Amino acid sequence: MSGAALPAAGAPGARAAAHSWREAPIQYATALLTLVLVAAPLLPVLYQSVVDRPLYDAGRQLTLGNFVRLARTEGFGLVLWNTFAFAALTTLIAQVLGTLAAVLFGRTDLPAARLLGELFLWPIYLSALVLSFGWYTVYGPSGYLTMLWNAVFEEPFWDLYTLPGMAAIAGVSLAPVAYIYCMSSATITDPSLEEAARVAGAGTFRTLSRITLPLLLPAIAYSAVLNFTVALELLAIPLVFGEPAGITVLTTFLYTQGVAGIRPDHGLAATAAALMLAVVCLLVWLQGRLLGNTRRFVTLGGKATRPRPFRLGRLRWPLFALAALYILATVVAPIGVLVLRAFASFLSPMVPLSEVLSLANFAQLFAEPIYSRAVWNSLVVSAVGGALATALIAMIAVIVHRSDFRFREPLHYAALFPRAVPGVVAGIGFFYAIALMPGLGEIRNTIWVLVIAFTMRFIPTGFGAVAPMLLQVSPDLDRAARVQGADWWTTCRRVVLPLMRPALLACYTILFISFFKEYTTAIFLFAPGSEVIGTALLHLWIQGEAGLVAALAAIQVGVIAACVAAARAAFGVRLHG
């Protein structure tokens, strides 16, 4: 009988054929799970926005009445104005601070630049909720520095309960994002351009303004769009400082309509959420366009040399003093005083610290089951959820970059799409999904709904930590394993994934921190028994328990600080997740 010879039993080709049946089910199952995770919160929000009653009520009918009601809602125009004004001011402050810090810490001979840069990054590690409480403890109406100022001078010149005050806090918290992008560009700028300017007689500041800063424009523009997007999604700062002053933005509008109201208007909440989703999707698309239009700014070729730092001369120490004062006022003071408040029964510049030091806040905190349970739930959600999310992200990465899966490009897009889904929209969406889909009600009052929601939220974050290293692993290793008879899954399991272990550990650390500090999604999903630190902090804040708020926030700061320190020791890199 003529024809191609069949591979002998036990030969490499036979072994590969015998195991190839595993490839398709694993890939399709991963793609389906990712699609369900991403679509689960979005479809119910969009559906709720076009029906005339809550999803859990029978007799629903399609309508565009919710959009009409939202447009006619009294004060909604002011809500939109506040939202975009807050986001614009925040972005302006963040970009100015982040760009100046990148140039000053990355391109000059400023003393202790590396230490100042590390401290400058700290707001990105903490939740905006904790940072809000820290700023309130120092600069609020009864804050430590406010009372000290009142005792020495007149009324303080700052007011956190205004749009500029809120934007200042948010701008400081988002400045590290601009710093990271600009720092990456500033440290690889082709030094020959700056050297040419120096040879032509340009001084330090002229070279910076005419050469260095223009070359940073792509990083500045991209991070500006990113910061504007994040500012639109911020809930904690407008909730803590805006609501008491009657300043409502879109996120607090969603919070009051979807959670805090006595009778939540689900139609308005879903319609406003759909509006926010559309705006954020547009901004994410704009980020992609900006990232794809930066080739004209390329200056670094095959030969890379480290740029020579600019000499500040006589301004070296004055600029160091200004930078250190900024770090002290915006990073060290809010975090430090908040932690100090946790260990004091009362904090005032008029009372000696030794007289008020106490562990009573922690004792009271752990005496209440709800708060000790919140700490434990946060640890479990972060540890277990981070591990499960890391496993899913690893599978997505190897399928997208190391397989011939026919739907790998759509899978890649689906994995990155959650970056366009604000936390409040994800929370509302999963809330509706549980009400709409049969069988999901059993997880409603458990921490597993938080694990699912957080995983969906942070797939892009983890993917960004894993994909770069995977792209550095040569495909020749895959081919060598295939030649020896290994199928795709065996190659991934025994060759690719073991080589990615450092990236997977970094991904897990970033996800642990992200899960541990997340609160915006949780406030729409938690129930008695599934509280986490973020929801407990809001509960204590509403009750006016400043000492317990500080103690719980100190626990979050301590855990995150330990994770960051361990990660730096293990990987020797910054965690920007």
Side-chain angles (χ1 to χ4, degrees), residues 70 246 258 274 332 364 450 468 492 577:
L70 182 66
V332 176
Q364 184 178 353
L450 301 181
C492 290

Side-chain angles (χ1 to χ4, degrees), residues 540-566:
L540 288 170
W541 178 259
I542 293 172
Q543 291 183 330
E545 297 285 355
L548 298 184
V549 166
L552 199 54
I555 293 173
Q556 187 179 94
V557 171
V559 171
I560 291 177
C563 289
V564 171

